[in-house]
Amino acid sequence: MKYIRWLSFVMVFVLLSGCAGKAAPSALTPINLPMGYVANVQFSPFYVGKERGYFEKAGFDVTFDYRWETDGIQLVAAGEIPFAIASGDQVIQARSRGLPVVAVAAWYQKFPVAIIALGNTPLRSPADLRGLRIGIPETFGASYIGLRALLKAGGLSEADIKLQTIGYTQLAALTAGTVDAAVVYANNEPVVLAREGTPFNALYVSDYADLVSAVIVSNDTMVREHPKEVQAFVTAFLTGLQDVLDDPDAAFAVCAKYVEGLEENAAAQRGVLDTSIEFWRAAHLGRFEAAAWEEAQKVMAESGLLEQTVPIETLFTNKFVK
């Protein structure tokens, strides 16, 4: 079945390539793009890219796939889909297991994980984490890597804290007093607390470590054999991203078509968008820095999350970022 899907995908590209220099093809390449989360204003660059025809101009009919069980990395590695949204740690883990995935464009330029505590618990530096009961959604992925990076910055180890797996109940756990601090996404829970007027303290991973975050991922075959298609998709995404940075008001309006109930919770969701934008800004959108991949792989290796380390240059490419 995987072979048939990939063969069909390649045939579409052959047909499109044969139309070069002729009239634009009537059929677009369909893509189910795994988002890794529910519909949210954080995906505004993709919504803008679709709504303004950037993906269509690039030759793609994009459908957003919000199913939690969808493993974008596995599908891309198997050649069943050409692109997915993924975190840098997923790319590193996949590559360490021999999967032929590669990051082709950076999205987040700063790692969006933080540790927060209510106002009566000081968090002046990572060293203040010593002895605290810290809640975390899960002991893998970006949250865990962010925690380990902050512990390292404070000269601490996991043995110096009381770590509790609490799922995505961070604010409830903090309010109930079952934890002293919680690992959160910096563009989510802090925005909620600020809007509520609840005093809190925070340590932002990006202030202490340069780690790679959310990326657009493809595979070795696409990069090697279909670079024009990869370039077109990356350009469409980056154009949508630039539009959001240039005009957040218009981008937020576009999100209303894709995010159910946005109007009823507009103020809070606008806060999420504005905060997210600050994690996306860069002098050179889409570009990767090798140092961020090196640091991320080092933290993961020290945390026992990797089967083996891999050459940094195999994890990403900047060839599609103008």
Side-chain angles (χ1 to χ4, degrees), residues 106 109 238 241-242 245 280-287 321-322:
Q109 296 292 333
L238 292 179
L241 176 58
Q242 186 65 63
L245 298 177
W280 303 340
R281 292 191 187 279
H284 197 155
L285 293 181
R287 184 174 179 81
V321 181
K322 295 182 180 179

Side-chain angles (χ1 to χ4, degrees), residues 23-263:
S26 58
L28 301 175
T29 302
I31 296 178
N32 282 340
L33 184 65
M35 309 301 280
Y37 191 52
V38 299
N40 191 276
V41 294
Q42 296 170 56
F43 296 126
S44 56
F46 298 91
Y47 300 152
V48 169
K50 182 177 177 72
E51 197 67 13
R52 295 184 175 173
Y54 301 146
F55 288 116
E56 183 177 359
K57 180 180 178 181
F60 300 103
D61 179 14
V62 177
T63 299
F64 303 123
D65 185 352
Y66 302 108
R67 294 176 297 170
W68 281 93
E69 68 272 17
T70 300
D71 190 334
I73 284 282
Q74 292 287 345
L75 294 175
V76 169
E80 294 192 19
I81 58 175
F83 307 105
I85 300 170
S87 58
D89 62 278
Q90 289 178 294
V91 176
I92 294 170
Q93 284 184 319
R95 200 84 201 189
S96 75
R97 297 195 300 267
L99 298 181
V101 298
V102 58
V104 294
W107 178 11
Y108 279 71
Q109 296 292 333
K110 295 193 297 183
F111 200 72
V113 173
I115 293 181
I116 63 172
L118 297 183
N120 57 346
T121 300
L123 289 179
R124 294 176 295 269
S125 74
D128 289 333
L129 297 173
R130 184 185 296 274
L132 296 185
R133 298 170 300 164
I134 299 178
I136 190 169
E138 51 209 3
T139 53
F140 59 87
S143 296
Y144 186 60
I145 293 168
L147 168 67
R148 293 297 297 248
L150 284 175
L151 291 176
K152 180 181 178 182
L156 306 175
S157 70
E158 204 168 312
D160 294 314
I161 62 173
K162 302 181 179 92
L163 191 61
Q164 301 179 24
T165 303
I166 60 173
Y168 291 91
T169 63
Q170 296 100 315
L171 293 185
L174 283 172
T175 302
T178 57
V179 297
D180 303 310
V183 184
V184 301
Y185 279 97
N187 54 347
N188 195 337
E189 285 83 359
V191 176
V192 174
L193 291 177
R195 175 168 170 73
E196 293 175 348
T198 302
F200 69 95
N201 298 309
L203 295 172
Y204 294 92
V205 173
S206 59
D207 289 338
Y208 299 92
D210 183 17
L211 303 174
V212 66
S213 187
V215 303
I216 307 301
V217 63
S218 189
N219 59 54
D220 289 350
T221 300
M222 284 294 299
V223 169
R224 182 177 62 253
E225 299 181 8
H226 305 288
K228 291 183 179 179
E229 286 75 17
V230 178
Q231 180 69 76
F233 188 87
V234 167
T235 299
F237 161 67
L238 292 179
T239 305
L241 176 58
Q242 186 65 63
D243 281 5
V244 177
L245 298 177
D246 291 341
D247 192 349
D249 291 338
F252 191 72
V254 168
C255 289
K257 179 177 178 179
Y258 296 89
V259 182
E260 185 177 352
L262 184 64
E263 295 84 355

